[in-house]
Amino acid sequence: NAGVTQTPKFQVLKTGQSMTLQCAQDMNHNSMYWYRQDPGMGLRLIYYSASEGTTDKGEVPNGYNVSRLNKREFSLRLESAAPSQTSVYFCASSEAWGPGYGYTFGSGTRLTVV
Amino acid sequence: GDSVTQMEGPVTLSEEAFLTINCTYTATGYPSLFWYVQYPGEGLQLLLKATKADDKGSNKGFEATYRKETTSFHLEKGSVQVSDSAVYFCALETSGSRLTFGEGTQLTVNP
Protein backbone atom coordinates (compact mmCIF):
# COMPACT_ATOMS: atom_id res chain seq x y z
CA ASN A 1 0.00 0.00 0.00
CA ALA A 2 1.46 3.31 -1.07
CA GLY A 3 -0.61 5.48 1.29
CA VAL A 4 0.37 9.13 0.77
CA THR A 5 3.03 9.81 -1.85
CA GLN A 6 4.88 13.12 -2.06
CA THR A 7 7.15 14.33 -4.83
CA PRO A 8 9.86 15.48 -4.96
CA LYS A 9 11.66 14.33 -1.81
CA PHE A 10 14.29 17.06 -2.00
CA GLN A 11 14.41 20.39 -3.81
CA VAL A 12 16.68 23.42 -3.87
CA LEU A 13 15.25 26.67 -5.24
CA LYS A 14 16.64 30.11 -5.80
CA THR A 15 14.80 33.05 -4.28
CA GLY A 16 11.96 34.09 -6.57
CA GLN A 17 11.60 30.75 -8.34
CA SER A 18 8.32 28.90 -8.33
CA MET A 19 7.52 25.24 -7.86
CA THR A 20 4.69 22.84 -7.10
CA LEU A 21 4.82 20.09 -4.52
CA GLN A 22 2.74 17.10 -5.46
CA CYS A 23 0.75 14.85 -3.15
CA ALA A 24 -1.41 11.84 -3.95
CA GLN A 25 -3.22 9.33 -1.72
CA ASP A 26 -4.65 5.97 -2.67
CA MET A 27 -6.83 5.31 0.39
CA ASN A 28 -9.98 7.01 -0.92
CA HIS A 29 -9.68 9.60 1.84
CA ASN A 30 -11.87 12.68 1.65
CA SER A 31 -9.72 15.24 3.49
CA MET A 32 -6.17 16.34 2.73
CA TYR A 33 -3.70 18.72 4.38
CA TRP A 34 -0.39 20.50 3.90
CA TYR A 35 1.87 21.15 6.88
CA ARG A 36 5.33 22.61 7.27
CA GLN A 37 7.75 21.43 9.93
CA ASP A 38 10.38 23.75 11.34
CA PRO A 39 12.80 23.11 14.22
CA GLY A 40 11.28 23.92 17.61
CA MET A 41 7.89 24.79 16.11
CA GLY A 42 6.26 21.45 15.52
CA LEU A 43 4.00 21.23 12.50
CA ARG A 44 1.95 24.16 11.27
CA LEU A 45 -1.04 23.87 8.96
CA ILE A 46 -0.69 25.71 5.66
CA TYR A 47 -3.87 24.74 3.79
CA TYR A 48 -6.40 21.98 3.93
CA SER A 49 -9.14 20.47 1.80
CA ALA A 50 -12.03 19.06 3.78
CA SER A 51 -13.44 17.39 0.68
CA GLU A 52 -12.95 17.33 -3.06
CA GLY A 53 -13.70 20.74 -4.50
CA THR A 54 -13.00 22.74 -1.32
CA THR A 55 -9.85 24.33 0.07
CA ASP A 56 -9.27 26.56 3.11
CA LYS A 57 -6.44 28.46 4.72
CA GLY A 58 -4.69 27.14 7.76
CA GLU A 59 -2.38 28.81 10.23
CA VAL A 60 0.39 29.95 7.82
CA PRO A 61 -1.01 30.31 4.26
CA ASN A 62 0.91 33.39 3.09
CA GLY A 63 3.11 32.72 0.08
CA TYR A 64 1.35 29.47 -0.85
CA ASN A 65 -1.53 28.31 -3.01
CA VAL A 66 -3.17 24.91 -3.29
CA SER A 67 -5.22 22.92 -5.74
CA ARG A 68 -7.39 19.90 -4.99
CA LEU A 69 -7.10 18.42 -8.44
CA ASN A 70 -9.37 15.47 -7.71
CA LYS A 71 -10.10 13.24 -4.73
CA ARG A 72 -6.61 11.70 -4.82
CA GLU A 73 -4.38 14.71 -5.45
CA PHE A 74 -3.67 17.90 -3.51
CA SER A 75 -0.81 20.13 -4.69
CA LEU A 76 0.98 23.00 -2.97
CA ARG A 77 2.45 25.84 -5.04
CA LEU A 78 5.07 28.39 -4.11
CA GLU A 79 4.74 31.26 -6.59
CA SER A 80 7.86 33.17 -5.59
CA ALA A 81 10.02 31.25 -3.14
CA ALA A 82 11.64 33.02 -0.19
CA PRO A 83 14.34 31.79 2.22
CA SER A 84 11.70 31.80 4.99
CA GLN A 85 9.99 28.96 3.13
CA THR A 86 12.95 26.65 3.69
CA SER A 87 11.31 23.80 5.57
CA VAL A 88 10.14 20.22 5.44
CA TYR A 89 6.66 19.95 3.93
CA PHE A 90 4.28 17.16 4.78
CA CYS A 91 1.09 16.19 3.07
CA ALA A 92 -1.49 14.20 5.02
CA SER A 93 -4.94 12.75 4.51
CA SER A 94 -7.79 11.57 6.69
CA GLU A 95 -10.75 9.38 5.97
CA ALA A 96 -13.29 12.12 6.56
CA TRP A 97 -13.78 15.58 8.00
CA GLY A 98 -14.74 15.00 11.59
CA PRO A 99 -13.43 14.10 15.04
CA GLY A 100 -11.14 11.21 15.84
CA TYR A 101 -10.01 9.99 12.40
CA GLY A 102 -6.33 10.80 12.63
CA TYR A 103 -4.03 11.46 9.72
CA THR A 104 -1.85 9.42 7.38
CA PHE A 105 1.29 11.35 6.46
CA GLY A 106 3.57 11.27 3.47
CA SER A 107 7.33 11.03 3.93
CA GLY A 108 7.89 14.74 3.29
CA THR A 109 9.61 17.13 0.89
CA ARG A 110 12.73 18.87 2.14
CA LEU A 111 12.86 22.29 0.48
CA THR A 112 15.78 24.69 0.65
CA VAL A 113 15.47 28.22 -0.74
CA VAL A 114 18.78 30.00 -1.28
CA GLY B 1 -6.67 29.73 20.85
CA ASP B 2 -6.10 26.00 21.01
CA SER B 3 -2.59 24.92 21.85
CA VAL B 4 -0.46 21.95 22.93
CA THR B 5 2.54 22.09 25.27
CA GLN B 6 5.00 19.23 25.44
CA MET B 7 7.82 18.69 27.88
CA GLU B 8 11.08 20.07 26.66
CA GLY B 9 13.52 17.64 25.18
CA PRO B 10 15.65 15.97 24.28
CA VAL B 11 15.08 12.95 26.49
CA THR B 12 17.81 10.31 26.80
CA LEU B 13 17.13 6.98 28.49
CA SER B 14 18.77 3.60 28.86
CA GLU B 15 17.11 0.55 27.38
CA GLU B 16 14.34 -0.88 29.62
CA ALA B 17 13.85 2.43 31.46
CA PHE B 18 10.40 3.89 32.11
CA LEU B 19 9.30 6.67 29.79
CA THR B 20 7.00 9.62 30.44
CA ILE B 21 6.56 12.47 27.99
CA ASN B 22 4.26 15.17 29.34
CA CYS B 23 1.61 16.84 27.23
CA THR B 24 -0.92 19.45 28.32
CA TYR B 25 -3.41 21.26 26.18
CA THR B 26 -5.65 24.30 25.99
CA ALA B 27 -8.82 23.95 23.97
CA THR B 28 -12.43 24.94 23.79
CA GLY B 29 -14.92 22.13 23.84
CA TYR B 30 -13.88 18.51 23.94
CA PRO B 31 -11.06 17.79 21.51
CA SER B 32 -9.71 14.42 20.45
CA LEU B 33 -6.10 13.84 21.47
CA PHE B 34 -3.33 12.05 19.61
CA TRP B 35 0.28 10.96 19.86
CA TYR B 36 2.29 10.73 16.65
CA VAL B 37 5.81 9.35 16.22
CA GLN B 38 8.37 10.40 13.62
CA TYR B 39 11.35 8.16 12.88
CA PRO B 40 14.41 9.72 11.20
CA GLY B 41 13.77 10.72 7.59
CA GLU B 42 10.13 9.67 7.68
CA GLY B 43 6.71 11.24 8.00
CA LEU B 44 4.63 11.14 11.16
CA GLN B 45 2.78 7.96 12.10
CA LEU B 46 -0.25 7.77 14.35
CA LEU B 47 0.78 6.05 17.59
CA LEU B 48 -2.42 6.24 19.64
CA LYS B 49 -5.48 8.36 20.23
CA ALA B 50 -8.29 9.09 22.68
CA THR B 51 -11.52 10.77 21.74
CA LYS B 52 -13.17 11.49 25.11
CA ALA B 53 -12.31 12.08 28.73
CA ASP B 54 -10.90 9.11 30.69
CA ASP B 55 -10.27 7.16 27.48
CA LYS B 56 -6.92 5.35 27.37
CA GLY B 57 -5.18 5.00 24.06
CA SER B 58 -2.58 2.25 23.69
CA ASN B 59 -0.32 0.81 21.02
CA LYS B 60 3.06 -0.98 20.88
CA GLY B 61 3.41 -0.80 24.68
CA PHE B 62 2.74 2.95 24.78
CA GLU B 63 -0.23 4.33 26.71
CA ALA B 64 -1.83 7.72 27.32
CA THR B 65 -4.97 8.65 29.27
CA TYR B 66 -7.17 11.63 28.40
CA ARG B 67 -7.42 13.62 31.66
CA LYS B 68 -9.94 16.41 31.29
CA GLU B 69 -9.51 17.66 34.86
CA THR B 70 -5.80 18.31 34.33
CA THR B 71 -6.04 18.91 30.56
CA SER B 72 -3.27 16.37 30.03
CA PHE B 73 -2.44 13.41 27.78
CA HIS B 74 0.93 12.13 29.00
CA LEU B 75 2.65 9.38 27.02
CA GLU B 76 4.09 6.43 28.98
CA LYS B 77 5.92 3.20 28.27
CA GLY B 78 7.10 0.78 30.90
CA SER B 79 10.28 -0.43 29.19
CA VAL B 80 11.74 1.44 26.22
CA GLN B 81 13.83 -0.12 23.48
CA VAL B 82 16.51 1.32 21.23
CA SER B 83 13.99 1.09 18.37
CA ASP B 84 11.75 3.60 20.18
CA SER B 85 14.24 6.38 19.48
CA ALA B 86 12.24 8.98 17.53
CA VAL B 87 10.48 12.31 17.86
CA TYR B 88 7.09 12.18 19.58
CA PHE B 89 4.35 14.73 18.90
CA CYS B 90 1.26 15.35 20.96
CA ALA B 91 -1.69 16.80 19.02
CA LEU B 92 -5.25 17.87 19.55
CA GLU B 93 -8.06 18.07 17.07
CA THR B 94 -9.68 21.44 16.86
CA SER B 95 -12.47 22.35 14.48
CA GLY B 96 -13.42 19.55 12.12
CA SER B 97 -10.31 17.50 11.50
CA ARG B 98 -7.68 20.17 11.94
CA LEU B 99 -4.79 19.01 14.14
CA THR B 100 -2.73 21.33 16.31
CA PHE B 101 0.68 19.86 17.17
CA GLY B 102 3.08 20.35 20.03
CA GLU B 103 6.72 21.11 19.34
CA GLY B 104 7.82 17.50 19.54
CA THR B 105 10.07 15.65 21.99
CA GLN B 106 13.21 13.91 20.79
CA LEU B 107 13.72 10.55 22.53
CA THR B 108 17.04 8.71 22.37
CA VAL B 109 17.33 5.26 23.92
CA ASN B 110 20.83 3.93 24.52
CA PRO B 111 21.66 0.23 24.70
Side-chain angles (χ1 to χ4, degrees), chain A residues 6-34:
Chain A
Q6 291 184 237
T7 55
K9 292 191 182 301
F10 301 94
Q11 183 71 49
V12 178
L13 290 179
K14 295 182 179 179
T15 297
Q17 287 185 317
S18 62
M19 80 161 293
T20 299
L21 282 63
Q22 307 287 351
C23 174
Q25 52 90 9
D26 62 0
M27 298 169 287
N28 201 36
H29 283 178
N30 287 300
S31 303
M32 299 184 73
Y33 314 83
W34 277 104

Side-chain angles (χ1 to χ4, degrees), chain A:
Chain A
N1 291 333
V4 178
T5 302
Q6 291 184 237
T7 55
K9 292 191 182 301
F10 301 94
Q11 183 71 49
V12 178
L13 290 179
K14 295 182 179 179
T15 297
Q17 287 185 317
S18 62
M19 80 161 293
T20 299
L21 282 63
Q22 307 287 351
C23 174
Q25 52 90 9
D26 62 0
M27 298 169 287
N28 201 36
H29 283 178
N30 287 300
S31 303
M32 299 184 73
Y33 314 83
W34 277 104
Y35 280 84
R36 60 178 289 173
Q37 183 181 28
D38 301 293
M41 303 187 74
L43 279 79
R44 293 180 292 168
L45 182 63
I46 305 171
Y47 271 93
Y48 65 99
S49 172
S51 61
E52 184 180 0
T54 70
T55 60
D56 285 287
K57 295 178 180 179
E59 184 183 354
V60 288
N62 292 344
Y64 305 95
N65 284 299
V66 291
S67 296
R68 184 75 183 265
L69 304 171
N70 47 56
K71 190 172 185 179
R72 292 185 63 248
E73 298 173 287
F74 187 41
S75 62
L76 178 72
R77 183 161 178 84
L78 287 70
E79 292 290 353
S80 179
S84 61
Q85 294 178 304
T86 293
S87 186
V88 181
Y89 292 84
F90 287 100
C91 178
S93 68
S94 63
E95 183 177 344
W97 184 256
Y101 285 100
Y103 291 1
T104 300
F105 281 85
S107 58
T109 295
R110 186 173 296 275
L111 175 66
T112 302
V113 183
V114 298

Side-chain angles (χ1 to χ4, degrees), chain A residues 33 35 37 40 42-43 45 48 57 90 96-100 102-103 105-107, chain B residues 32 34 36 38 41-44 49 51 89 93 95-99 101-103:
Chain A
Y33 314 83
Y35 280 84
Q37 183 181 28
L43 279 79
L45 182 63
Y48 65 99
K57 295 178 180 179
F90 287 100
W97 184 256
Y103 291 1
F105 281 85
S107 58
Chain B
S32 296
F34 303 82
Y36 282 82
Q38 184 180 31
E42 299 183 10
L44 280 72
K49 68 178 182 182
T51 57
F89 292 91
E93 191 165 55
S95 58
S97 292
R98 294 176 53 164
L99 287 180
F101 287 88
E103 294 181 2

